[in-house]
């Protein structure tokens, strides 16, 4: 029998008849390639499948469950702390107006209305003062300066619009 036959025998790794085994042993002594193959087969057969230590899966699951529980607890505590901080901040902010709001809401409303009205009147005063200042400046500043500054500002506005258009046309980098 030739080398090819023995090589197939070794690669198939199936039970061999007694006479064939004798012929194979004889071939192994003269063929280093088949000898190496046979040695590899023996080594593979002797490898013990590494089994996980008993109870590994159970321990892993227990640890995982414990970790999840700890994480849930952390989330819960974090949420509680956030909630109470928000409530405390709200109470602290509302404290100055709380007695008024509880015992005489109308007073609070009046105070708010007053604040709003005074803010509006302040705004109106600022606008009026600005108008007066502009009128005074118009009387003092020569018309050429007004014309120059007006053209300067229109140029500025034109350039600004151009740049905005350029920016808008740029491809959006994401
Ligand atoms: Zn051979």
């Amino acid at each position: 029998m030739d080398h090819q036959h023995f090589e197939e025998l070794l690669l198939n790794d199936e039970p061999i008849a007694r006479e064939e085994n004798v012929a194979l042993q004889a071939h192994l002594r003269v063929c280093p390639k088949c000898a190496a193959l046979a040695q590899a087969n023996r080594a593979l057969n002797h490898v013990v499948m590494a089994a996980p230590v008993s109870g590994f899966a159970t321990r892993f699951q227990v640890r995982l469950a414990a970790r999840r529980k700890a994480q849930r607890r952390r989330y819960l505590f974090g949420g509680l702390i956030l909630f109470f901080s928000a409530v405390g901040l709200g109470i602290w902010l509302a404290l100055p107006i709380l007695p008024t709001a509880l015992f005489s809401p109308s007073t609070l409303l009046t105070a708010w209305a007053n604040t709003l009205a005074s803010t509006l009147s302040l705004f109106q005063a600022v606008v009026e003062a600005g108008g007066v200042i502009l009128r005074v400046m118009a009387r003092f500043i020569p018309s050429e300066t007004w014309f120059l500054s007006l053209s300067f500002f229109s140029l500025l506005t034109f350039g600004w619009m151009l740049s905005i258009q350029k920016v808008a046309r740029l491809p959006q980098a994401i």
Side-chain angles (χ1 to χ4, degrees), residues 3 27 31 34:
H3 161 78
H27 177 72
C31 176
C34 284

Side-chain angles (χ1 to χ4, degrees), residues 47-67:
V47 168
V48 180
M49 289 296 284
V53 183
S54 64
F56 172 77
T58 319
R59 278 204 300 280
F60 181 72
Q61 278 171 346
V62 167
R63 215 179 304 155
L64 195 68
R67 204 176 299 165

Side-chain angles (χ1 to χ4, degrees), residues 13-89:
D13 201 22
E14 277 164 9
I16 309 170
R18 190 180 163 79
E19 312 86 64
E20 204 159 32
N21 193 33
V22 172
L24 177 65
Q25 295 306 322
H27 177 72
L28 288 180
R29 276 192 287 276
V30 295
C31 176
K33 203 175 169 187
C34 284
L37 209 58
Q39 201 177 3
N41 269 357
R42 269 199 302 277
L44 282 175
N45 288 336
H46 278 102
V47 168
V48 180
M49 289 296 284
V53 183
S54 64
F56 172 77
T58 319
R59 278 204 300 280
F60 181 72
Q61 278 171 346
V62 167
R63 215 179 304 155
L64 195 68
R67 204 176 299 165
R68 278 192 189 143
K69 202 174 163 188
Q71 198 171 32
R72 267 202 301 274
R73 208 177 297 151
R74 264 206 301 281
Y75 283 146
L76 185 69
F77 276 127
L80 280 177
I81 287 170
L82 202 67
F83 174 73
F84 281 117
S85 308
V87 168
L89 188 68

Side-chain angles (χ1 to χ4, degrees), residues 102-125:
L102 284 178
F103 298 116
S104 52
S106 58
T107 311
L108 193 69
L109 279 176
T110 314
W112 275 343
N114 278 341
T115 310
L116 195 69
S118 59
T119 309
L120 275 177
S121 56
L122 182 72
F123 182 70
Q124 208 173 358

